[in-house]
Amino acid sequence: MSEILLPPAPLFRDPVYDGAADPTIIWNREEQSWWIVYTQRRANVDGPYVAFAHGTAIGIASSADNGRSWRYRGTFEGMEFERGHNSFWAPEVIWHNGLYHMYVSYVPGVPHDWSGTRDIVHMTSKNLWDWHFESILPLSSRRVIDACVHQLPNGKWRLWYKDEVNDSHTYAADSSDLYRWEVVGPVITDVAHEGPNVFHWKGSYWMITDVWRGLGVYKSDDVEHWTRQENILTEPGTRVDDGEIGQHADVLVQGDNAYIFYFVHPQRNDDIPKVVPDVIPYAKRRSSLQVAKLEYDGRKLVCDRNAPFHFELQPPQQD
């Protein structure tokens, strides 16, 4: 029996600001390596309340050894399309017809609270480094974040996102070309949540959401009608830096295997107050990335984050 290659735990910590969050995994066709792109929160920079979660770039960690180790590579370039120091969150990156498309949350400036407008911005790149601004998407409000894009069975594309004006529910918009989007309306409305992520696995479509009490799970046969299942990653894990609920995840499917990439505030231990304190302590600001393996028991999606598993990512089939 071949040796089991366990993933590192934590999978990655940002060596500059120690605030890696909102991961998305993408294959870099030029470098032939896996990249995790993420919100680079400025966790080790003191400031009032949630200033550390603003003024953020999109960080890059790459792996040249199938996920065994990850190296910080810097941040995406060319993203500033307006003057000033602005905030970028939660990148969604896909490859289609010779271009990388990114749909990223954008907040002007560096607020110290959760106020202000929030939009989803579309950018494109030929090499995953240099980005060209395409547009601010006209969606259901001006407080929308956390894009996820997946192709529908009819060939069109659907974008799911959190609309904070509309009860922090998941809304959707459709496109035939990834550039022009038409709002469909609300999709998931049972509870407030963020960070929707959609993938196809084991003959069904799945959506993962961040409900701030672990991750919500929904199943669909047609990408239209969703059935709620039990939450996952609700209890602290035992691995290093995995001792809190899992948050804002991305899922990579490789054949029969599905890996969930998520972030953790390993020392938070309690809720951050909803009123503005002077400074949230560094221990409660810092965050790390982790990976676990999903399983399907024939009825529902399950995830034992403490269970050992073989972790060796394979290159995708090139299109």
Side-chain angles (χ1 to χ4, degrees), residues 23 233 239 242 246-247 249 260-264 288-290 292 305:
L233 300 180
R239 297 182 297 178
D242 202 24
Q247 294 188 256
I260 185 165
F261 297 78
Y262 58 97
F263 85 91
V264 177
S288 300
L289 304 185
Q290 300 280 4
R305 68 202 293 178

Side-chain angles (χ1 to χ4, degrees), residues 256-315:
D256 287 335
N257 297 318
Y259 304 106
I260 185 165
F261 297 78
Y262 58 97
F263 85 91
V264 177
H265 284 290
Q267 293 179 270
R268 180 160 286 187
N269 301 322
D270 55 26
D271 290 335
I272 294 297
K274 301 302 181 183
V275 296
V276 180
D278 290 335
V279 177
I280 295 172
Y282 160 67
K284 294 182 183 295
R285 296 192 303 253
R286 80 174 188 90
S287 55
S288 300
L289 304 185
Q290 300 280 4
V291 65
K293 189 177 181 182
L294 297 176
E295 302 287 352
Y296 179 54
D297 68 3
R299 183 179 67 87
K300 65 182 186 298
L301 203 68
V302 294
C303 182
D304 180 356
R305 68 202 293 178
N306 302 319
F309 64 96
H310 186 80
F311 185 64
E312 189 173 11
L313 299 180
Q314 301 302 317

Side-chain angles (χ1 to χ4, degrees), residues 8 14 27 45 54 64 132-133 147-148 186 197 208 216 221 243 250 270 278-280 282 289 299 307-308 310:
D14 182 286
W27 176 253
V45 178
H54 296 87
H132 170 72
F133 171 77
C148 169
N197 183 259
I208 303 289
D221 294 327
D250 188 33
D270 55 26
D278 290 335
V279 177
I280 295 172
Y282 160 67
L289 304 185
R299 183 179 67 87
H310 186 80

Side-chain angles (χ1 to χ4, degrees), residues 136-193:
I136 295 177
L137 302 190
L139 298 173
S140 49
S141 82
R142 293 297 307 280
R143 284 183 64 87
V144 293
I145 61 172
D146 297 349
C148 169
V149 175
H150 197 284
Q151 196 161 25
L152 300 176
N154 64 10
K156 288 188 175 182
W157 299 88
R158 178 157 292 178
L159 180 147
W160 293 266
Y161 59 93
K162 174 190 180 184
D163 189 331
E164 295 182 341
V165 170
N166 290 291
D167 301 311
S168 291
H169 291 160
T170 288
Y171 273 56
D174 285 357
S175 174
S176 58
D177 61 4
L178 293 171
Y179 290 88
R180 295 178 295 273
W181 295 88
E182 182 177 348
V183 173
V184 175
V187 176
I188 304 294
T189 60
D190 54 345
V191 295
H193 57 275

Side-chain angles (χ1 to χ4, degrees), residues 13-260:
R13 284 180 69 175
D14 182 286
V16 179
Y17 292 114
D18 206 13
D22 312 329
T24 291
I25 187 161
I26 183 74
W27 176 253
N28 185 314
R29 284 160 169 75
E30 291 69 34
E31 293 191 3
Q32 294 290 291
S33 63
W34 286 103
W35 278 24
I36 295 175
V37 296
Y38 59 93
T39 306
Q40 189 184 48
R41 292 180 174 178
R42 301 175 302 120
N44 58 15
V45 178
D46 286 341
Y49 196 31
V50 290
F52 76 96
H54 296 87
T56 44
I58 299 303
I60 306 162
S62 70
S63 176
D65 57 5
N66 303 322
R68 291 293 306 140
S69 62
W70 297 85
R71 176 177 296 180
Y72 177 71
R73 299 290 300 279
T75 59
F76 279 167
E77 300 174 2
M79 293 186 62
E80 288 290 0
F81 62 95
E82 294 182 335
R83 290 181 175 179
H85 188 170
N86 302 301
S87 310
F88 295 92
W89 296 340
E92 166 74 323
V93 182
I94 65 170
W95 167 266
H96 182 64
N97 282 349
L99 276 179
Y100 298 98
H101 293 260
M102 176 167 58
Y103 301 88
V104 63
S105 308
Y106 172 73
V107 181
V110 187
H112 71 276
D113 57 17
W114 300 117
S115 64
T117 61
R118 305 178 191 180
D119 291 295
I120 292 174
V121 172
H122 178 204
M123 297 188 177
T124 55
S125 174
K126 295 180 179 180
N127 60 12
L128 261 187
W129 277 111
D130 305 290
W131 291 90
H132 170 72
F133 171 77
E134 297 288 349
S135 68
I136 295 177
L137 302 190
L139 298 173
S140 49
S141 82
R142 293 297 307 280
R143 284 183 64 87
V144 293
I145 61 172
D146 297 349
C148 169
V149 175
H150 197 284
Q151 196 161 25
L152 300 176
N154 64 10
K156 288 188 175 182
W157 299 88
R158 178 157 292 178
L159 180 147
W160 293 266
Y161 59 93
K162 174 190 180 184
D163 189 331
E164 295 182 341
V165 170
N166 290 291
D167 301 311
S168 291
H169 291 160
T170 288
Y171 273 56
D174 285 357
S175 174
S176 58
D177 61 4
L178 293 171
Y179 290 88
R180 295 178 295 273
W181 295 88
E182 182 177 348
V183 173
V184 175
V187 176
I188 304 294
T189 60
D190 54 345
V191 295
H193 57 275
E194 62 188 13
N197 183 259
V198 174
F199 59 100
H200 187 264
W201 186 52
K202 300 289 186 180
S204 297
Y205 292 92
W206 304 89
M207 182 188 294
I208 303 289
T209 66
D210 187 345
V211 294
W212 312 296
R213 296 178 299 279
L215 300 176
V217 179
Y218 301 81
K219 184 181 180 183
S220 175
D221 294 327
D222 58 8
V223 212
E224 298 291 346
H225 305 90
W226 297 91
T227 301
R228 180 75 181 265
Q229 300 196 326
E230 297 172 17
N231 291 358
I232 60 173
L233 300 180
T234 59
E235 299 296 328
T238 58
R239 297 182 297 178
V240 175
D241 261 14
D242 202 24
E244 258 296 344
I245 60 171
Q247 294 188 256
H248 196 125
D250 188 33
V251 175
L252 175 67
V253 173
Q254 297 213 304
D256 287 335
N257 297 318
Y259 304 106
I260 185 165

